[in-house]
Amino acid sequence: MGVRDVNTSRTDGTSQVGTSSTGRRGEAGKGERLADWADGRLGIYGLAKANMRKVFPDHWSFMLGEVCLYSFLILILTGVYLTLFFEPSGVEVVYHGSYKPLNGIIMTRAYESTLDISFDVRGGLLIRQIHHWAALVFLAGMLVHMMRVFFTGAFRKPREVNWLFGWTLLMLGLITGLTGYSLPDDLLSGTGVRFAQGAILSIPIVGTYLSFFLFGGEFPGHDIIPRFFPIHVLLLPGIMLGLVVAHLILVFYHKHTQYPGAGRDQKSVVGMPFMPVYMAKAGGFFFLVFGVLSIMGAIATINPVWAFGPYRPDLVTTGAQPDWYLGFSEGLIRVMPGWEINAWGHTLQLGVFIPFSLFPLIMTAIAVYPFIEAWVTGDRREHHILDRPRNVPTRTGLGVAWLTLYAVLLVGGGNDLWATHFHLSINAITWFVRIAVFVGPALAFVVTKRICLGLQRRDRDKVLHGRESGIIKRLPHGEYVEVHEPLSQAQRFTLTQHEQASPYEVGPLVDANGVVRRVGPSRRLRARLARALYGPGTQIPKPTVEEYQELTGEDHHH
């Protein structure tokens, strides 16, 4: 009699494998026993079964988030290596090392250990530069990823919390970058710390106390580097790692957003399964990102601390610039007039305090935007299909206006370099930035909105008349026309699937009985914002079925 294996499910969630027809249990392998042991305690099988075959859509813009994730992992790996050799000490020593031009120079132990990493530790300079490039790519990836989420409306319900997670990661990334490039204590990083200390001093009443508490006395003190070190290598990365995990869990829990197309709706996702297809592609992409960052670290010099020398409070290097992601804040302060108020024996530095306050206010506005838009529209539905940016001109215009403001202030943050490299007057650049701060975003908003409306008109014309084929045809009466190719049903669906919501209105202020309705200021504000987002002039009407049938003679819906 033959022996056959059967798979039966048990009530405890494990599998009974290898039971023969005679009732004897076969000997399970070590891997199988380990899997059964883990599944009985962690429920791994059920978790894997529910998520390993989860479908993810395929689009190049979704890789922006992966670039952020992989850059963060590379930051952790390289940071662990650097931590083994860096000494976060403000104690002054006399340098006698491999870099001869600095021999005999007094410097802090932090700067000396940075030189040792760069010149004496095997692979130290390469790891330092990979670490720095990975930080820049990480922050750039987060910014571009958040812009993709913003322009396509991926922040809408149920993903508002994930938007806040991403925004918090961006803010923590800015602070981590500031503490990171301040650790070597070279002339460039010391100038940046001095800049931050000046901003802290501008805070009314408590600014001096905060500065003394942070620096352990008068600037620069000996405590700032030992305090920055645990913040940079332990506190902030730990919080960011937790946020990244929470962010990915929510991505799994909420279906991944996808661009509009045939077969895609709010309940189904078109794409590849997480295992094995998506996981294999993600693994390959990780090594691609690691390889590119390694090449950048090997051939592109960044932050050559030996060229700047150790920090001294009485010196400042020409062209001292922060990394690009903090140029926004420095530009605010550089272009602000040097206003100050003297009252009751106190001096309020408005030229520093106002920009120092504007930076968090602008970033906070970005954080709460999803909730503002949900309140204005009153839309409480879940959204898993992305918007095409052209179909929401006002939101797209706001995003471009913010990017324009960022670019203008980045120019202001590097006004000295613009002046020296392009032989311009630094005063002219400063005044240009002061004017462009107000004119540039407004102009960008108007131009972007007009472009979006023009693209909507083109989509409408394409649905009704088809795509231009490039073929010129001569009619019997001598006229030359271009032949249009009709769109497929899937293409027409992609261009017309979006909704065109009507703006919220407060309604008549007097009812049928002549009684005046009370309308609160919040409802009036909501109505004004709704008209700005979805009112007249913000969208081109989609072609109707009747218009399409009249032009094409087809007797079916599109």
Side-chain angles (χ1 to χ4, degrees):
M1 181 177 179
V3 178
R4 60 186 178 88
D5 290 339
V6 295
N7 240 338
T8 59
S9 177
R10 299 191 337 199
T11 56
D12 61 358
T14 61
S15 297
Q16 182 178 341
V17 182
T19 303
S20 69
S21 59
T22 61
R24 291 178 300 177
R25 178 176 174 83
E27 185 67 22
K30 292 182 179 180
E32 189 175 351
R33 291 199 302 269
L34 177 62
D36 283 343
W37 182 90
D39 183 56
R41 290 153 182 81
L42 303 176
I44 295 177
Y45 175 76
L47 183 66
K49 185 178 181 180
N51 293 288
M52 290 299 99
R53 299 295 294 175
K54 195 175 184 68
V55 173
F56 280 83
D58 191 13
H59 193 271
W60 67 267
S61 65
F62 298 149
M63 293 192 297
L64 296 171
E66 295 183 44
V67 171
C68 303
L69 175 62
Y70 302 150
S71 300
F72 182 65
L73 296 178
I74 295 167
L75 276 171
I76 293 177
L77 294 174
T78 54
V80 169
Y81 183 84
L82 294 175
T83 304
L84 301 176
F85 304 98
F86 180 74
E87 295 187 28
S89 173
V91 175
E92 292 185 340
V93 297
V94 178
Y95 180 71
H96 295 287
S98 301
Y99 190 67
K100 301 301 182 182
L102 290 178
N103 275 344
I105 301 297
I106 298 176
M107 60 185 64
T108 60
R109 181 66 189 122
Y111 184 69
E112 184 187 39
S113 66
T114 305
L115 293 178
D116 291 341
I117 292 173
S118 302
F119 296 111
D120 298 318
V121 175
R122 186 179 297 274
L125 180 59
L126 176 63
I127 298 300
R128 265 197 65 231
Q129 299 207 143
I130 293 176
H131 188 75
H132 203 129
W133 278 119
L136 297 181
V137 172
F138 174 57
L139 286 161
M142 279 199 293
L143 178 63
V144 179
H145 177 61
M146 288 191 70
M147 287 297 100
R148 196 275 301 173
V149 171
F150 179 82
F151 285 125
T152 59
F155 54 78
R156 293 172 295 176
K157 183 182 178 181
R159 298 176 180 84
E160 302 97 332
V161 175
N162 230 5
W163 170 266
L164 290 179
F165 283 167
W167 178 88
T168 307
L169 280 168
L170 179 61
M171 292 297 295
L172 292 178
L174 298 180
I175 302 173
T176 307
L178 173 64
T179 57
Y181 76 65
S182 300
L183 288 177
D185 199 35
D186 60 290
L187 186 57
L188 181 61
S189 66
T191 303
V193 175
R194 182 62 163 174
F195 173 87
Q197 191 246 1
I200 294 172
L201 287 175
S202 70
I203 301 176
I205 302 175
V206 299
T208 304
Y209 299 97
L210 289 176
S211 176
F212 269 65
F213 172 76
L214 181 63
F215 290 90
E218 288 284 355
F219 180 87
H222 297 285
D223 297 337
I224 189 63
I225 294 176
R227 290 178 178 179
F228 272 173
F229 184 71
I231 293 174
H232 178 74
V233 304
L234 183 62
L235 178 62
L236 295 179
I239 297 174
M240 294 174 70
L241 183 60
L243 288 173
V244 167
V245 173
H247 187 79
L248 294 177
I249 289 174
L250 286 181
V251 169
F252 264 84
Y253 179 71
H254 304 136
K255 289 185 301 184
H256 200 292
T257 55
Q258 56 186 337
Y259 287 94
R264 303 171 185 177
D265 54 36
Q266 303 292 351
K267 296 183 178 181
S268 61
V269 179
V270 178
M272 297 294 181
F274 180 73
M275 287 290 290
V277 179
Y278 191 83
M279 197 63 184
K281 294 172 65 176
F285 192 53
F286 168 77
F287 289 106
L288 179 62
V289 173
F290 205 159
V292 171
L293 289 175
S294 298
I295 293 174
M296 294 170 66
I299 66 176
T301 300
I302 188 169
N303 197 25
V305 295
W306 56 88
F308 305 128
Y311 177 66
R312 284 177 47 182
D314 59 331
L315 295 179
V316 62
T317 178
T318 303
Q321 308 292 318
D323 283 331
W324 66 268
Y325 49 85
L326 289 174
F328 177 85
S329 59
E330 180 149 337
L332 278 169
I333 292 181
R334 285 198 184 191
V335 304
M336 183 72 185
W339 297 339
E340 64 179 35
I341 297 176
N342 295 301
W344 299 289
H346 295 277
T347 300
L348 178 60
Q349 293 286 349
L350 296 178
V352 178
F353 179 67
I354 291 178
F356 189 58
S357 304
L358 283 176
F359 178 76
L361 288 177
I362 294 174
M363 298 303 293
T364 302
I366 297 174
V368 301
Y369 180 85
F371 303 95
I372 295 176
E373 182 173 304
W375 172 67
V376 170
T377 60
D379 189 358
R380 294 178 174 84
R381 299 170 300 169
E382 290 191 1
H383 293 273
H384 303 290
I385 299 296
L386 299 173
D387 288 329
R388 301 176 76 207
R390 67 186 63 183
N391 293 329
V392 278
T394 305
R395 182 206 296 158
T396 305
L398 290 174
V400 175
W402 185 89
L403 292 175
T404 303
L405 176 64
Y406 187 94
V408 168
L409 292 175
L410 197 60
V411 173
N415 54 4
D416 51 347
L417 289 181
W418 285 89
T420 55
H421 282 66
F422 295 97
H423 308 288
L424 301 172
S425 167
I426 192 170
N427 291 326
I429 296 174
T430 301
W431 274 105
F432 165 78
V433 174
R434 288 175 178 174
I435 297 173
V437 161
F438 300 97
V439 176
L443 184 62
F445 174 82
V446 173
V447 171
T448 302
K449 188 175 178 181
R450 298 301 302 172
I451 292 175
C452 290
L453 292 175
L455 292 174
Q456 287 187 37
R457 290 189 180 93
R458 190 183 72 170
D459 287 347
R460 174 185 169 87
D461 183 72
K462 191 181 294 185
V463 169
L464 293 175
H465 302 285
R467 178 183 291 105
E468 297 176 353
S469 64
I471 300 174
I472 305 300
K473 180 180 180 180
R474 184 180 181 182
L475 299 180
H477 59 276
E479 180 184 2
Y480 289 90
V481 296
E482 184 176 12
V483 178
H484 286 109
E485 297 177 351
L487 302 181
S488 65
Q489 185 174 359
Q491 292 171 328
R492 294 197 300 268
F493 172 79
T494 301
L495 297 181
T496 59
Q497 54 79 37
H498 61 282
E499 298 180 356
Q500 292 187 327
S502 300
Y504 168 79
E505 297 180 355
V506 296
L509 299 179
V510 180
D511 62 16
N513 298 321
V515 179
V516 178
R517 295 175 53 235
R518 292 184 178 181
V519 180
S522 62
R523 295 181 62 185
R524 294 179 184 270
L525 176 62
R526 179 185 172 188
R528 293 191 183 98
L529 293 175
R531 283 196 299 270
L533 280 173
Y534 301 107
T538 61
Q539 50 193 8
I540 303 300
K542 294 190 297 183
T544 63
V545 176
E546 292 74 18
E547 289 176 321
Y548 179 78
Q549 292 176 351
E550 182 180 354
L551 286 174
T552 63
E554 295 188 25
D555 190 23
H556 64 271
H557 295 261
H558 62 285

